[in-house]
Amino acid sequence: MDKHSRKEQAIEFINNMAPELKNISRFLHTNPELGRQEYQAARLLTEAAARQGFALEKNISGYETAFIASKGIRGPKIAFLAEYDALPGLGHACGHNLIAAMSWGAAAAFAAVAAGQAVSYLIGCPAEETSGAKVAMAEAGIFDNLTAALIIHPASGNNVGGTSYATHPLQVTFHGRPAHVAGKTDKGVNALDALVMFYQGLKPLQQTFTRPTILGGIITKGGTAPNIIPAEAEARLTVRALSSDFLEETVLPAVRRLASGVAQATGTTVTAVHYEPLFKELINASHLMTLFQNNMAQLGETVTVLPPADAGGSTDVGNVSHRVPTLHPDIGIGGGLVAHTPEFAAAAGSDYAQERLLVGAKAMAMTAIDLLPE
């Protein structure tokens, strides 16, 4: 069977799956679960995969809600990455309910039409919004022998290309000595003063870097009472750059030097630890981008090609892309949307978005079919 015929079969297969895929998406949207707690989502997806004859591995890389579902024994190995964690207080304001359904639909359709000539994987990837299961999975080599990894993200329009920021969140804690704020003899050592000085130094520091860099943060601990000199003050920072090498070798050392200098100047001590792992920058494989564009065109969709340095947000898919050719485009679910907002959460549950997930599943399955041997 030629690839064109397989693609037609995949489209029909996904059309027949439409009620199931929409139900999965809507269930996840109605029952949002935070990272590492996505028990209902993982069960729903693994049960669906088992019904289609996929072999299952669970509890992957230390994540109870991570799984690998596979079907096939030889040929190209194509992974469709499912995300399904939600955001605190916002639910599925990043559209992971749609991602899970799209990836499952694509994996099932590809397995059905590959006819034993490929291996189709649905890889369940928890906690993308926090600790990023794909980081540990990549370090464990889970993606190393794949031909390609595919995932589509909901957005305000259809896009392909671009990148993401590498990020390695940092917690900075200054340690002083407590005292009564009106004490006559012991004035203590004010850790909050040190932290505020450090925080005020971040913006000037950011301006010294020769490449795009983001330094943002919040004060998470500033003291216990206004009449007690704070003995400990803490901030959590998001530290981002377009290159993980530049981030690790230039930006983060500079932030640590700033903290050490402030500590020395204020008589405090300081500790700095990473509270979440390194998310590397995303590398979109050019050959997969071309295939995706062509397949979206066959589905009647236009796609905007983003410049290579066009970055938005951060994702642990970046860590996958450093191991295997990866495609991470966007599919539009409504104009003017901004992720991580109530408006995006509402859009992700809309009837329109449920139709759009079918387009995404088809485009991914078709792109995988292009990777089959002639």
Side-chain angles (χ1 to χ4, degrees):
M1 185 187 304
D2 63 20
K3 292 180 180 179
H4 177 74
S5 298
R6 292 183 196 271
K7 290 181 182 181
E8 289 184 335
Q9 282 194 355
I11 291 171
E12 182 179 3
F13 191 94
I14 290 169
N15 285 337
N16 291 334
M17 283 187 75
E20 176 188 350
L21 298 178
K22 292 178 182 180
N23 285 341
I24 288 172
S25 171
R26 288 189 172 116
F27 179 86
L28 298 186
H29 192 269
T30 305
N31 299 277
E33 299 168 294
L34 302 181
R36 290 184 176 268
Q37 301 173 28
E38 315 98 320
Y39 297 107
Q40 293 182 89
R43 183 171 61 251
L44 189 65
L45 291 166
T46 53
E47 289 177 352
R51 287 194 297 269
Q52 293 280 357
F54 280 67
L56 292 173
E57 299 175 58
K58 299 181 181 180
N59 196 7
I60 305 297
S61 298
Y63 285 81
E64 287 186 273
T65 52
F67 65 85
I68 300 173
S70 61
K71 191 172 184 179
I73 57 174
R74 64 177 64 87
K77 298 178 179 180
I78 313 300
F80 304 90
L81 309 181
E83 298 172 352
Y84 31 82
D85 61 318
L87 289 156
L90 289 172
H92 280 289
C94 212
H96 291 187
N97 60 306
L98 300 168
I99 293 176
M102 281 190 282
S103 290
W104 164 231
F110 180 61
V113 305
Q117 295 183 14
V119 185
S120 179
Y121 292 92
L122 176 70
I123 301 184
C125 307
E128 190 274 341
E129 299 290 354
T130 52
S131 59
K134 294 187 223 43
V135 175
M137 296 165 87
E139 291 174 352
I142 286 172
F143 306 107
D144 286 0
N145 296 317
L146 298 176
T147 305
L150 310 177
I151 182 172
I152 297 181
H153 202 291
S156 60
N158 297 337
N159 304 299
V160 68
T163 184
S164 65
Y165 280 98
T167 179
H168 205 169
L170 190 69
Q171 179 175 293
V172 178
T173 307
F174 285 89
H175 308 273
R177 190 179 73 254
H180 193 289
V181 71
K184 293 183 178 181
T185 55
D186 187 357
K187 302 298 183 182
V189 178
N190 195 315
L192 180 59
D193 284 349
L195 180 61
V196 170
M197 184 184 300
F198 167 75
Y199 182 85
Q200 290 175 330
L202 288 174
K203 291 301 180 183
L205 176 63
Q206 181 175 322
Q207 295 171 6
T208 68
F209 297 119
T210 58
R211 304 182 195 177
T213 304
I214 295 173
L215 300 179
I218 58 170
I219 294 176
T220 51
K221 184 177 182 180
T224 56
N227 62 345
I228 301 174
I229 298 295
E232 187 173 273
E234 173 190 284
R236 285 196 165 189
L237 310 181
T238 177
V239 186
R240 309 189 190 204
L242 289 181
S243 159
S244 50
D245 288 342
F246 185 69
L247 176 68
E248 296 293 294
E249 297 170 9
T250 301
V251 179
L252 282 165
V255 172
R256 290 176 180 272
R257 285 194 299 272
L258 172 64
S260 296
V262 168
Q264 185 175 7
T266 57
T268 57
T269 59
V270 64
T271 56
V273 297
H274 294 290
Y275 63 92
E276 287 177 2
L278 169 65
F279 284 17
K280 296 183 178 181
E281 73 278 13
L282 175 66
I283 304 170
N284 274 298
S286 58
H287 70 290
L288 297 178
M289 288 171 53
T290 300
L291 296 175
F292 177 78
Q293 287 176 261
N294 293 338
N295 288 314
M296 286 288 277
Q298 291 178 43
L299 294 170
E301 300 278 334
T302 58
V303 179
T304 299
V305 180
L306 301 177
D310 189 305
S314 301
T315 175
D316 59 355
V317 179
N319 298 60
V320 180
S321 72
H322 284 251
R323 298 276 188 164
V324 62
T326 299
L327 179 71
H328 192 3
D330 298 326
I331 189 163
I333 63 167
L337 293 173
V338 177
H340 293 206
T341 62
E343 293 76 16
F344 198 103
S350 68
D351 290 343
Y352 179 66
Q354 311 318 305
E355 297 298 328
R356 298 298 291 163
L357 76 83
L358 301 179
V359 177
K362 292 171 185 176
M364 276 195 289
M366 293 165 72
T367 301
I369 290 167
D370 284 323
L371 299 176
L372 290 171
E374 296 294 342

